[in-house]
Amino acid sequence: MILRIISTEKILFDGPVDRVALPGSCGPFTVLDRHAPLISTLAEGEIVYVVNGVEKRVVVEGGIVEVWDNWVAVCVN
């Protein structure tokens, strides 16, 4: 699946990932390949994603995520 994390200033990440965990405003959740489409707001916390078995983290103050057709688009504050 492809993950794109953007802020108002720059693209923080854009590429294939194994999975991504997000700090949803109603609680944390994980997105895997072929996840059902969804749109959610994000709370303050960390986005944790795995690229080729290596875990990476991005601290966010909030934002929004859309998941569709094996794409995860995240716009963060």
Side-chain angles (χ1 to χ4, degrees), residues 38-74:
L38 70 82
I39 295 175
S40 177
T41 55
L42 299 177
E44 184 177 342
E46 286 186 325
I47 297 172
V48 181
Y49 56 97
V50 177
V51 179
N52 296 324
V54 178
E55 189 175 275
K56 302 187 181 232
R57 297 171 181 268
V58 174
V59 176
V60 298
E61 294 179 14
I64 188 167
V65 60
E66 182 177 9
V67 178
W68 81 100
D69 197 26
N70 242 15
W71 281 79
V72 181
V74 184

Side-chain angles (χ1 to χ4, degrees), residues 6-57:
I6 62 170
S7 72
T8 56
E9 300 162 352
K10 63 183 176 179
I11 296 173
L12 302 172
F13 180 81
D14 188 10
V17 297
D18 302 324
R19 72 176 194 273
V20 58
L22 300 138
S25 56
C26 292
F29 62 96
T30 300
V31 177
L32 302 171
D33 276 342
R34 297 178 181 34
H35 195 285
L38 70 82
I39 295 175
S40 177
T41 55
L42 299 177
E44 184 177 342
E46 286 186 325
I47 297 172
V48 181
Y49 56 97
V50 177
V51 179
N52 296 324
V54 178
E55 189 175 275
K56 302 187 181 232
R57 297 171 181 268

